[in-house]
């Protein structure tokens, strides 16, 4: 399991969408709660990865540890990335953010079936010099701030 997760981390760090897709199950579900995204299937995962790399062209993740059960793997490590473009409705400062990440994986047929990618959106925004409230409004709409 860890070898698949590490292969995915390496592919994503190279922004190599084809290599990332090669370790994903056809019914792959990728969830990123900080962005409110959920991608199902290979075509949608390809689209969401390409969009992510447009926003964070220097994305790099290093897995520093892991724990697993028979069918679940949890990894932790550090992601480094520079927010670019206007996807989030803000103008970032161009500095590279460094964030702790936690990733939960499930597997089927010797491929990654599910990935849940966790990081602190507020910390990403702070290091990128942008308002967390503005980014949350862009991602989740006006009502997200009332619920927070």
């Amino acid at each position: 399991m860890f070898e698949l997760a590490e292969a995915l981390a390496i592919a994503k760090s190279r922004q190599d969408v084809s290599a990332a897709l090669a370790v994903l199950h056809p019914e792959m579900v990728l969830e990123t709660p900080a962005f409110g995204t959920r991608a199902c299937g290979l075509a949608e995962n390809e689209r969401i990865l390409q969009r992510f790399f447009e926003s964070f062209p220097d994305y790099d993740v290093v897995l520093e540890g892991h724990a697993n059960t028979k069918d679940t793997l949890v990894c932790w490590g550090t992601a480094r990335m520079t927010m670019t473009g206007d996807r989030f409705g803000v103008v970032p400062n161009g500095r590279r953010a460094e964030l702790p990440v936690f990733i939960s994986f499930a597997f089927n047929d010797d491929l990654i079936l599910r990935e849940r990618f966790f990081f602190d959106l507020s910390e990403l925004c702070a290091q990128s010099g942008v308002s967390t409230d503005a980014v949350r409004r862009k991602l989740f709409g006006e009502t997200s701030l009332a619920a927070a």
Side-chain angles (χ1 to χ4, degrees):
M1 290 188 291
F2 183 73
E3 290 79 16
L4 284 171
E6 191 169 48
L8 181 61
I10 290 167
K12 287 182 177 181
S13 293
R14 293 181 182 154
Q15 291 77 48
D16 187 342
V17 175
S18 296
L21 294 173
V23 298
L24 303 182
H25 190 276
E27 297 173 9
M28 169 66 178
V29 176
L30 169 60
E31 293 179 280
T32 309
F35 292 150
T37 58
R38 179 184 163 112
C40 302
L42 292 179
E44 196 170 338
N45 271 274
E46 179 177 15
R47 184 184 62 76
I48 206 99
L49 284 173
Q50 289 172 338
R51 185 173 183 207
F52 181 81
F53 296 141
E54 288 170 8
S55 300
F56 302 98
D58 64 348
Y59 175 79
D60 181 60
V61 65
V62 176
L63 302 179
E64 297 160 354
H66 68 279
N68 63 281
T69 64
K70 184 179 137 208
D71 51 8
T72 302
L73 173 70
V74 176
C75 296
W76 53 89
T78 303
R80 293 169 184 85
M81 55 187 148
T82 306
M83 184 187 291
T84 63
D86 61 359
R87 171 182 172 193
F88 302 104
V90 294
V91 178
N93 61 17
R95 292 191 192 115
R96 195 165 197 210
E98 184 171 309
L99 308 165
V101 296
F102 302 89
I103 312 162
S104 172
F105 295 97
F107 302 84
N108 191 17
D109 299 329
D110 296 322
L111 294 168
I112 298 171
L113 176 65
R114 181 180 179 125
E115 175 186 354
R116 296 187 79 206
F117 184 78
F118 297 95
F119 66 93
D120 185 340
L121 179 62
S122 294
E123 185 60 26
L124 172 63
C125 291
Q127 290 186 42
S128 300
V130 298
S131 162
T132 303
D133 287 345
V135 171
R136 285 185 55 79
R137 270 192 298 278
K138 179 73 172 177
L139 292 172
F140 301 103
E142 291 294 330
T143 59
S144 71
L145 295 179

